[in-house]
Amino acid sequence: MQIIQAKDELREQLREWRNADEHIALVPTMGNLHSGHASLVELARQHAERVIVSVYVNPTQFGEGEDFDEYPRTLERDTRRLKTVSADALFVPADDVIYPFGHDSATIVSVPGLTENFCGATRPGHFDGVTTVVARLFAMMQPDVAVFGQKDYQQQLVIRYMCQDLGLPIAIVTADTVRDDDGLAKSSRNQYLDDEQRRVAPRLYETLREAAESLRSGGRDYEAMEARAIRTLEAAGFDVDYFAIRRAEDLAVPDRDGDDLVVLAAATLGRARLIDNVLLTV
Ligand code: PAF
């Protein structure tokens, strides 16, 4: 597996693959790779002959007081892990490769609407940071395909919107969430949980599944179901950002049966902000 840091080197490698008529899939990450990321790489491999993984802890998507400084940076371990899956290259750009004029003078890519609620409301500016860095990676690499995890449901919707709106010919593929045996979604932030919090954390997914089950059994009083779920999570020790039942395609409030729905939540336990969701059709 090739490790690439410079833009020229990246361009050269991409050119070689394209000249050989090979499709390119990008898996953007912030490193600290776990089996969830490995599944993104495996899915990417099903869509393209070449898979490139980027590792960049993007400062512009962290708000003030968030965990940018302490975000786990584990490049050596990540490199070893990627060698065991089928990645062809690892792109590890320095700050000035991504933001040549610095973060404060960067061109911002901002998606309206979809970014206003949920994680966008509790983390103002977060999605601008995400779309700004992803647009830069897309511009640098022009991949045929890019793979994102379903755990960050709102993020993958925002990126799909950005690609459609900017006319980027990149297929966005969403990979199923990978979970521990007790249901907790894999996340780099799980390592902030102490033993007791780790024991409680799967309650988030359980509560999402309970809400999905009520919907499947005909429940339609969304507000009451959301309020009940929030009470359950608070009683378990979570500080809940949001728990919502929405239309899967655009996060609007569902208004008729037959829609694909997403039940999505974000809640903090100690220092760990956990997000998760369940998809269903009613
Ligand atoms: O999901 C993530 O890890 C990040 O938000 C992403 C897409 C790599 C952008 O920094």
Side-chain angles (χ1 to χ4, degrees):
M1 184 187 65
Q2 219 194 325
I3 300 176
I4 301 174
Q5 288 175 310
K7 223 181 258 180
D8 290 354
E9 212 185 328
L10 176 70
R11 229 174 262 140
E12 192 42 49
Q13 181 58 83
L14 295 171
R15 188 176 308 126
E16 205 181 288
W17 288 340
R18 282 207 189 90
N19 286 345
D21 272 339
E22 292 174 323
H23 295 96
I24 297 163
L26 167 65
V27 181
T29 80
M30 297 205 299
N32 196 236
L33 305 179
H34 46 68
S35 50
H37 296 106
S39 83
L40 303 184
V41 174
E42 278 154 22
L43 188 58
R45 167 64 68 212
Q46 292 171 28
H47 288 267
E49 290 82 7
R50 296 292 180 177
V51 177
I52 181 160
V53 177
S54 62
V55 169
Y56 178 65
V57 184
N58 171 38
T60 64
Q61 69 188 77
F62 289 81
E64 217 154 288
E66 290 190 351
D67 56 342
F68 174 69
D69 289 334
E70 55 186 331
Y71 198 86
R73 288 151 170 92
T74 53
L75 189 57
E76 264 182 43
R77 217 184 42 170
D78 292 348
T79 310
R80 281 200 302 275
R81 186 179 261 279
L82 281 176
K83 283 180 181 160
T84 68
V85 292
S86 47
D88 296 289
L90 166 61
F91 180 47
V92 199
D95 272 342
D96 63 350
V97 172
I98 296 289
Y99 296 107
F101 298 142
H103 321 140
D104 295 340
S105 308
T107 304
I108 303 296
V109 177
S110 183
V111 168
L114 265 179
T115 57
E116 278 159 24
N117 294 324
F118 309 118
C119 288
T122 35
R123 305 183 67 192
H126 166 67
F127 284 120
D128 284 359
V130 170
T131 42
T132 295
V133 76
V134 170
R136 282 157 195 267
L137 292 168
F138 285 179
M140 259 181 251
M141 299 191 198
Q142 299 174 25
D144 301 284
V145 177
V147 183
F148 296 86
Q150 187 195 310
K151 179 174 73 65
D152 297 273
Y153 189 80
Q154 191 178 9
Q155 168 174 281
Q156 58 83 41
L157 272 189
V158 167
I159 290 165
R160 283 173 188 276
Y161 182 101
M162 174 185 84
C163 282
Q164 277 186 9
D165 192 30
L166 297 179
L168 303 179
I170 300 169
I172 304 300
V173 173
T174 303
D176 290 347
T177 302
V178 176
R179 300 180 181 280
D180 284 337
D181 290 344
D182 58 9
L184 178 65
K186 296 269 185 193
S187 164
S188 300
R189 290 189 167 104
N190 291 352
Q191 59 196 265
Y192 299 155
L193 298 166
D194 67 21
D195 288 351
E196 177 52 19
Q197 291 157 354
R198 176 64 191 77
R199 195 185 58 74
V200 171
R203 241 358 236 134
L204 182 62
Y205 181 50
E206 277 166 36
T207 311
L208 288 163
R209 284 193 8 226
E210 282 160 14
E213 210 32 64
S214 304
L215 288 163
R216 283 193 199 97
S217 324
R220 292 294 178 271
D221 187 346
Y222 304 128
E223 278 182 30
M225 291 162 77
E226 290 165 358
R228 190 166 57 237
I230 290 171
R231 280 197 303 277
T232 303
L233 289 169
E234 284 176 347
F238 288 88
D239 188 0
V240 181
D241 274 3
Y242 60 82
F243 189 104
I245 299 163
R246 289 293 185 272
R247 216 156 60 183
E249 64 168 307
D250 57 4
L251 302 184
V253 176
D255 55 4
R256 63 188 158 93
D257 280 3
D259 280 338
D260 291 333
L261 302 185
V262 60
V263 189
L264 68 172
T268 304
L269 255 189
R271 287 164 53 225
R273 185 174 182 279
L274 307 177
I275 61 175
D276 204 349
N277 61 80
V278 169
L279 286 166
L280 74 154
T281 306
V282 292

